[in-house]
Amino acid sequence: MKIALVTIHNVTNYGAILQAYATKIALSKYGEVTVVDYQNQYLNKNMHKVRFEASVHGIKMLVHDLLNLLWRTRLLSRFKHFTDTNLNLTATLGDKDLLEGKLGKFDIYVCGSDQIWNPVVVSPIDKIDPIFFLSFAPDEAKKFSYASSIGHHYFTQEEKQQVQSLLDNFDMISVRESDGKKKLEELLPDKKIFHVVDPTLILPKKEWFSLFNVQQNNEKYILVYSVPRTELIKKAIGYFSQKMGLKIVAIDRMFFPIGKIDKHVRDAGPNEFIQLFANASFIITDSFHGSCFSVNFEKPFACISANKGANRQESLLRLLNIDNRIMYKEEDFESLDLEVDYDEVTPKLEKIRNESLSFIEAAIKV
């Protein structure tokens, strides 16, 4: 069986690359999985060595990339090596190529995960990208989504009509967040919408460690992984480093460090990312995938709210009954237990993991 997977993969985002990899691994149980090397031009800018656009932000980005050029070159090399080695990519294809049928025929077409259905993420003018809704697949083809995400976006009336049309002929639909499920249930009352876990949670800790040949060491450190770099996470770094007396290691690609840290890792690729999470003593993160790996690797952690973007973390941690680990304000730090009872959490994760794997099997066999 030939399976085509469309997802966000051509970016320097750890969560995006690792969810694409995990989805491919999970689907591979049922046939040969090929990741469509779709070139969304807006997303592809992530892979440019030096980025620029005609704006104040674009000038700042240019200066940053030039200052960071040595580390950024290594980072890009590591990401490209990982995707080339692990994703079984098709030839490079644009939207016109796909719509003209240049991908060839597959038995099943899958879209997901990540925020492929959030127009703010995939377009410079906040437009829905139909390719991420499998608009190029033959009408008679079997199609389903796995853990596709709308993020915190709310569809306009025009977008609602477009989404209804694009998803009308899907065989099965699943999303990553509970509020995404509600949004689609309102749009598609005649279709069952499934809530499944992010692909990075489909693979258990043991499998991640085996696939990445994780080498455990005795070094004690607090790992910081931040995407939006909120003020709250900077305060959390100071609070927890003082409370625990451990050094701070930050996966942080910016030229200037996020705060007072001991080790600034600017050039981690996907492999280095997994190693650093696997060996951390405690994790501070405001990233959704940072929370996913913290839970999956059974690490004590503080999830720092990223304000309007926190719905993804809230959805996951509520499922596991540990949403008390989300810190919304500085005063929350004192009440956080430095340990997590994974004897309680891991069985819950295994249950929803198995339910998500059952969804994939049902969608393949429908």
Side-chain angles (χ1 to χ4, degrees):
M1 185 180 294
K2 294 175 64 181
I3 303 169
L5 171 63
V6 176
T7 187
I8 295 174
H9 70 283
N10 196 29
V11 291
T12 55
N13 178 292
Y14 302 104
I17 293 296
L18 293 169
Q19 67 78 21
Y21 175 69
T23 307
K24 180 202 162 229
I25 295 290
L27 293 173
S28 293
K29 177 181 176 183
Y30 302 97
E32 181 187 358
V33 182
T34 303
V35 176
V36 180
D37 194 16
Y38 168 48
Q39 300 297 296
N40 173 297
Q41 295 305 314
Y42 181 61
L43 292 171
N44 283 0
K45 290 179 181 177
N46 276 270
M47 299 300 289
H48 295 171
K49 190 175 289 188
V50 177
R51 297 163 292 177
F52 175 71
E53 57 188 46
S55 66
V56 173
H57 173 71
I59 294 169
K60 288 180 179 178
M61 191 163 55
L62 171 66
V63 172
H64 171 270
D65 287 350
L66 290 171
L67 289 171
N68 223 15
L69 193 58
L70 177 63
W71 295 285
R72 183 161 177 78
T73 300
R74 279 201 296 259
L75 174 107
L76 290 169
S77 175
R78 286 169 171 167
F79 269 84
K80 189 170 189 316
H81 176 75
F82 183 84
T83 56
D84 289 349
T85 304
N86 294 287
L87 294 189
N88 191 27
L89 296 169
T90 66
T92 298
L93 298 163
D95 52 358
K96 186 179 178 185
D97 298 319
L98 288 166
L99 293 169
E100 289 176 353
K102 292 182 181 178
L103 175 64
K105 291 251 180 123
F106 286 79
D107 300 301
I108 300 176
Y109 297 80
V110 183
C111 61
S113 155
D114 221 353
Q115 296 187 63
I116 57 171
W117 292 350
N118 184 347
V120 177
V121 169
V122 301
S123 165
I125 53 173
D126 302 350
K127 282 185 64 178
I128 283 171
D129 186 340
I131 297 298
F132 287 124
F133 288 81
L134 303 177
S135 61
F136 61 91
D139 290 339
E140 70 280 6
K142 184 183 285 189
K143 297 187 281 189
F144 72 89
S145 69
Y146 182 80
S148 300
S149 175
I150 304 163
H152 58 267
H153 181 73
Y154 285 87
F155 293 128
T156 64
Q157 200 58 43
E158 183 182 349
E159 288 170 343
K160 286 178 180 179
Q161 293 175 359
Q162 189 178 5
V163 170
Q164 284 173 325
S165 175
L166 287 165
L167 292 178
D168 184 58
N169 63 354
F170 270 54
D171 293 280
M172 291 180 74
I173 300 169
S174 69
V175 291
R176 196 176 67 183
E177 290 93 32
S178 54
D179 62 340
K181 181 177 187 289
K182 290 176 186 174
K183 289 171 187 175
L184 290 187
E185 284 173 338
E186 291 173 6
L187 292 181
L188 303 158
D190 296 330
K191 283 188 176 288
K192 183 170 176 58
I193 310 299
F194 294 83
H195 181 199
V196 295
V197 295
D198 185 82
T200 60
L201 295 169
I202 290 181
L203 306 184
K205 175 176 75 169
K206 185 178 180 181
E207 191 165 356
W208 278 110
F209 282 23
S210 175
L211 287 166
F212 282 76
N213 191 27
V214 168
Q215 303 298 311
Q216 306 247 228
N217 60 49
N218 297 320
E219 186 181 10
K220 302 284 188 185
Y221 60 89
I222 296 171
L223 179 67
V224 176
Y225 175 54
S226 173
V227 177
R229 283 180 142 226
T230 59
E231 283 302 312
L232 190 58
I233 202 169
K234 293 174 186 176
K235 292 176 180 177
I237 291 169
Y239 177 86
F240 288 105
S241 63
Q242 184 175 26
K243 184 168 184 176
M244 301 180 73
L246 295 177
K247 75 174 187 177
I248 302 287
V249 176
I251 301 174
D252 179 20
R253 294 173 301 185
M254 302 300 284
F255 182 74
F256 294 106
I258 188 172
K260 191 176 180 181
I261 62 173
D262 299 288
K263 185 177 180 182
H264 187 181
V265 184
R266 297 182 179 92
D267 56 0
N271 287 286
E272 291 76 19
F273 179 92
I274 293 294
Q275 301 291 337
L276 285 165
F277 265 81
N279 282 293
S281 303
F282 188 87
I283 294 165
I284 302 172
T285 185
D286 53 16
S287 151
F288 170 70
H289 281 109
S291 298
C292 287
F293 281 105
S294 298
V295 169
N296 207 358
F297 290 179
E298 299 180 314
K299 298 292 181 179
F301 70 104
C303 174
I304 308 302
S305 171
N307 303 317
K308 65 180 181 179
N311 68 316
R312 295 173 294 156
Q313 290 94 314
E314 289 167 348
S315 178
L316 169 65
L317 300 184
R318 279 176 190 152
L319 273 175
L320 300 172
N321 199 30
I322 51 170
D323 49 320
N324 61 337
R325 303 205 71 80
I326 305 177
M327 308 284 98
Y328 294 96
K329 56 188 184 301
E330 195 173 353
E331 290 74 20
D332 294 339
F333 299 161
E334 291 182 14
S335 62
L336 184 72
D337 193 333
L338 294 182
E339 297 296 330
V340 180
D341 184 0
Y342 279 106
D343 288 339
E344 290 284 332
V345 175
T346 299
K348 290 186 178 76
L349 177 57
E350 287 175 353
K351 180 177 182 294
I352 60 175
R353 174 186 293 134
N354 289 334
E355 289 170 354
S356 297
L357 289 169
S358 295
F359 169 83
I360 292 176
E361 183 167 4
I364 293 284
K365 295 180 178 179
V366 69

